[in-house]
Short mmCIF file of all heavy atoms in Angstrom, two decimals:
data_model
loop_
_atom_site.label_atom_id
_atom_site.label_comp_id
_atom_site.label_asym_id
_atom_site.label_seq_id
_atom_site.Cartn_x
_atom_site.Cartn_y
_atom_site.Cartn_z
N PRO A 448 -1.83 -45.83 -38.64
CA PRO A 448 -0.85 -44.74 -38.76
C PRO A 448 -0.33 -44.58 -40.18
O PRO A 448 -0.01 -43.44 -40.61
CB PRO A 448 0.26 -45.16 -37.80
CG PRO A 448 -0.43 -46.01 -36.78
CD PRO A 448 -1.50 -46.74 -37.53
N SER A 449 -0.26 -45.67 -40.94
CA SER A 449 0.25 -45.58 -42.31
C SER A 449 -0.70 -44.82 -43.26
O SER A 449 -0.32 -44.51 -44.38
CB SER A 449 0.49 -46.99 -42.86
OG SER A 449 -0.70 -47.76 -42.83
N ASP A 450 -1.92 -44.54 -42.78
CA ASP A 450 -2.88 -43.81 -43.61
C ASP A 450 -2.68 -42.30 -43.54
O ASP A 450 -3.38 -41.55 -44.24
CB ASP A 450 -4.32 -44.14 -43.17
CG ASP A 450 -4.68 -45.59 -43.42
OD1 ASP A 450 -4.26 -46.13 -44.46
OD2 ASP A 450 -5.39 -46.18 -42.58
N PHE A 451 -1.72 -41.83 -42.71
CA PHE A 451 -1.56 -40.40 -42.50
C PHE A 451 -0.10 -39.99 -42.73
O PHE A 451 0.83 -40.75 -42.48
CB PHE A 451 -1.96 -40.01 -41.07
CG PHE A 451 -3.41 -40.31 -40.76
CD1 PHE A 451 -3.77 -41.54 -40.22
CD2 PHE A 451 -4.40 -39.38 -41.03
CE1 PHE A 451 -5.08 -41.83 -39.93
CE2 PHE A 451 -5.73 -39.67 -40.75
CZ PHE A 451 -6.08 -40.89 -40.21
N ASN A 452 0.03 -38.77 -43.22
CA ASN A 452 1.36 -38.16 -43.35
C ASN A 452 1.81 -37.65 -41.98
O ASN A 452 1.05 -37.64 -41.01
CB ASN A 452 1.32 -37.02 -44.35
CG ASN A 452 0.93 -37.49 -45.75
OD1 ASN A 452 1.52 -38.44 -46.28
ND2 ASN A 452 -0.07 -36.83 -46.34
N GLU A 453 3.05 -37.16 -41.91
CA GLU A 453 3.58 -36.67 -40.65
C GLU A 453 2.82 -35.46 -40.14
O GLU A 453 2.73 -35.23 -38.93
CB GLU A 453 5.07 -36.32 -40.81
CG GLU A 453 5.97 -37.53 -41.04
CD GLU A 453 7.43 -37.15 -41.10
OE1 GLU A 453 7.72 -35.92 -40.96
OE2 GLU A 453 8.28 -38.03 -41.27
N ASP A 454 2.26 -34.66 -41.06
CA ASP A 454 1.49 -33.49 -40.62
C ASP A 454 0.04 -33.81 -40.29
O ASP A 454 -0.77 -32.91 -40.01
CB ASP A 454 1.54 -32.40 -41.69
CG ASP A 454 0.94 -32.88 -43.02
OD1 ASP A 454 0.52 -34.04 -43.11
OD2 ASP A 454 0.90 -32.06 -43.98
N GLY A 455 -0.33 -35.10 -40.30
CA GLY A 455 -1.69 -35.50 -39.93
C GLY A 455 -2.68 -35.57 -41.07
O GLY A 455 -3.81 -36.02 -40.87
N THR A 456 -2.27 -35.13 -42.27
CA THR A 456 -3.16 -35.23 -43.41
C THR A 456 -3.16 -36.65 -43.96
O THR A 456 -2.22 -37.42 -43.74
CB THR A 456 -2.74 -34.25 -44.51
OG1 THR A 456 -1.39 -34.57 -44.92
CG2 THR A 456 -2.80 -32.82 -44.02
N ALA A 457 -4.24 -37.00 -44.65
CA ALA A 457 -4.36 -38.35 -45.19
C ALA A 457 -3.45 -38.52 -46.39
O ALA A 457 -3.26 -37.59 -47.19
CB ALA A 457 -5.81 -38.62 -45.58
N VAL A 458 -2.86 -39.70 -46.52
CA VAL A 458 -2.04 -39.99 -47.68
C VAL A 458 -2.94 -40.10 -48.91
O VAL A 458 -4.17 -40.25 -48.81
CB VAL A 458 -1.24 -41.29 -47.47
CG1 VAL A 458 -0.35 -41.19 -46.25
CG2 VAL A 458 -2.17 -42.49 -47.35
N ASP A 459 -2.35 -40.03 -50.08
CA ASP A 459 -3.12 -40.11 -51.31
C ASP A 459 -3.92 -41.42 -51.36
O ASP A 459 -3.39 -42.51 -51.08
CB ASP A 459 -2.18 -40.03 -52.52
CG ASP A 459 -1.55 -38.64 -52.67
OD1 ASP A 459 -2.10 -37.70 -52.07
OD2 ASP A 459 -0.51 -38.54 -53.34
N GLY A 460 -5.19 -41.28 -51.74
CA GLY A 460 -6.05 -42.46 -51.86
C GLY A 460 -6.83 -42.80 -50.62
O GLY A 460 -7.73 -43.63 -50.67
N VAL A 461 -6.51 -42.19 -49.48
CA VAL A 461 -7.22 -42.44 -48.23
C VAL A 461 -8.30 -41.36 -48.07
O VAL A 461 -8.01 -40.17 -48.11
CB VAL A 461 -6.28 -42.44 -47.02
CG1 VAL A 461 -7.06 -42.55 -45.72
CG2 VAL A 461 -5.28 -43.59 -47.14
N VAL A 462 -9.53 -41.77 -47.89
CA VAL A 462 -10.66 -40.84 -47.81
C VAL A 462 -11.09 -40.70 -46.36
O VAL A 462 -11.33 -41.70 -45.67
CB VAL A 462 -11.83 -41.34 -48.67
CG1 VAL A 462 -13.00 -40.35 -48.59
CG2 VAL A 462 -11.39 -41.53 -50.11
N LEU A 463 -11.18 -39.46 -45.88
CA LEU A 463 -11.65 -39.18 -44.53
C LEU A 463 -13.12 -38.77 -44.58
O LEU A 463 -13.58 -38.17 -45.55
CB LEU A 463 -10.82 -38.06 -43.91
CG LEU A 463 -9.31 -38.27 -43.84
CD1 LEU A 463 -8.64 -37.08 -43.18
CD2 LEU A 463 -8.95 -39.56 -43.10
N ARG A 464 -13.82 -39.06 -43.50
CA ARG A 464 -15.23 -38.68 -43.45
C ARG A 464 -15.41 -37.32 -42.80
O ARG A 464 -16.14 -36.47 -43.30
CB ARG A 464 -16.03 -39.73 -42.68
CG ARG A 464 -17.50 -39.37 -42.51
CD ARG A 464 -18.29 -40.52 -41.90
NE ARG A 464 -19.68 -40.14 -41.73
CZ ARG A 464 -20.20 -39.63 -40.62
NH1 ARG A 464 -19.41 -39.45 -39.57
NH2 ARG A 464 -21.47 -39.32 -40.53
N LEU A 465 -14.75 -37.10 -41.65
CA LEU A 465 -14.91 -35.84 -40.93
C LEU A 465 -13.80 -34.86 -41.23
O LEU A 465 -13.98 -33.66 -41.05
CB LEU A 465 -14.95 -36.12 -39.42
CG LEU A 465 -16.06 -37.07 -38.94
CD1 LEU A 465 -15.93 -37.31 -37.45
CD2 LEU A 465 -17.42 -36.52 -39.29
N GLY A 466 -12.66 -35.35 -41.67
CA GLY A 466 -11.54 -34.47 -41.98
C GLY A 466 -10.51 -34.38 -40.88
O GLY A 466 -9.38 -33.95 -41.13
N ASN A 467 -10.87 -34.75 -39.65
CA ASN A 467 -9.93 -34.68 -38.52
C ASN A 467 -9.65 -36.04 -37.92
O ASN A 467 -9.27 -36.15 -36.75
CB ASN A 467 -10.47 -33.73 -37.45
CG ASN A 467 -11.79 -34.22 -36.88
OD1 ASN A 467 -12.47 -35.01 -37.51
ND2 ASN A 467 -12.15 -33.72 -35.70
N GLU A 468 -9.84 -37.09 -38.71
CA GLU A 468 -9.60 -38.44 -38.21
C GLU A 468 -8.15 -38.65 -37.80
O GLU A 468 -7.24 -37.96 -38.28
CB GLU A 468 -9.99 -39.48 -39.26
CG GLU A 468 -11.47 -39.78 -39.33
CD GLU A 468 -12.24 -38.83 -40.24
OE1 GLU A 468 -11.71 -37.76 -40.59
OE2 GLU A 468 -13.37 -39.16 -40.59
N GLU A 469 -7.98 -39.64 -36.92
CA GLU A 469 -6.66 -40.04 -36.45
C GLU A 469 -6.59 -41.56 -36.49
O GLU A 469 -7.60 -42.23 -36.66
CB GLU A 469 -6.43 -39.53 -35.02
CG GLU A 469 -6.48 -38.01 -34.89
CD GLU A 469 -6.36 -37.58 -33.43
OE1 GLU A 469 -6.14 -38.46 -32.57
OE2 GLU A 469 -6.49 -36.37 -33.16
N PRO A 470 -5.37 -42.13 -36.31
CA PRO A 470 -5.27 -43.59 -36.26
C PRO A 470 -6.19 -44.16 -35.17
O PRO A 470 -6.27 -43.64 -34.06
CB PRO A 470 -3.81 -43.82 -35.92
CG PRO A 470 -3.10 -42.64 -36.50
CD PRO A 470 -4.03 -41.48 -36.30
N GLY A 471 -6.92 -45.23 -35.54
CA GLY A 471 -7.85 -45.85 -34.61
C GLY A 471 -9.28 -45.42 -34.76
O GLY A 471 -10.17 -46.01 -34.16
N TRP A 472 -9.53 -44.37 -35.57
CA TRP A 472 -10.91 -43.91 -35.77
C TRP A 472 -11.61 -44.81 -36.80
O TRP A 472 -10.98 -45.48 -37.61
CB TRP A 472 -10.93 -42.47 -36.26
CG TRP A 472 -10.70 -41.47 -35.16
CD1 TRP A 472 -9.90 -41.62 -34.07
CD2 TRP A 472 -11.27 -40.18 -35.08
NE1 TRP A 472 -9.93 -40.50 -33.30
CE2 TRP A 472 -10.76 -39.58 -33.89
CE3 TRP A 472 -12.13 -39.45 -35.88
CZ2 TRP A 472 -11.12 -38.30 -33.50
CZ3 TRP A 472 -12.48 -38.17 -35.48
CH2 TRP A 472 -11.99 -37.60 -34.30
N ALA A 473 -12.94 -44.80 -36.74
CA ALA A 473 -13.74 -45.62 -37.64
C ALA A 473 -13.55 -45.20 -39.09
O ALA A 473 -13.43 -44.02 -39.41
CB ALA A 473 -15.22 -45.54 -37.26
N ARG A 474 -13.56 -46.19 -39.97
CA ARG A 474 -13.33 -45.95 -41.40
C ARG A 474 -14.49 -46.57 -42.20
O ARG A 474 -15.01 -47.63 -41.83
CB ARG A 474 -12.01 -46.59 -41.83
CG ARG A 474 -11.60 -46.32 -43.27
CD ARG A 474 -10.19 -46.85 -43.51
NE ARG A 474 -9.69 -46.50 -44.83
CZ ARG A 474 -8.44 -46.66 -45.22
NH1 ARG A 474 -7.55 -47.18 -44.38
NH2 ARG A 474 -8.05 -46.30 -46.42
#
């Protein structure tokens, strides 16, 4: 959960693969 902002976007420095990841998804 700490990897995401309140609006669901990734915090700075966190890279998403699909763009719609959520807490618990593969990294």
Side-chain angles (χ1 to χ4, degrees):
S449 58
D450 295 322
F451 299 91
N452 298 309
E453 292 184 0
D454 60 359
T456 60
V458 302
D459 291 342
V461 174
V462 180
L463 304 181
R464 177 172 179 266
L465 302 177
N467 62 339
E468 279 86 344
E469 299 175 5
W472 281 35
R474 185 172 186 170

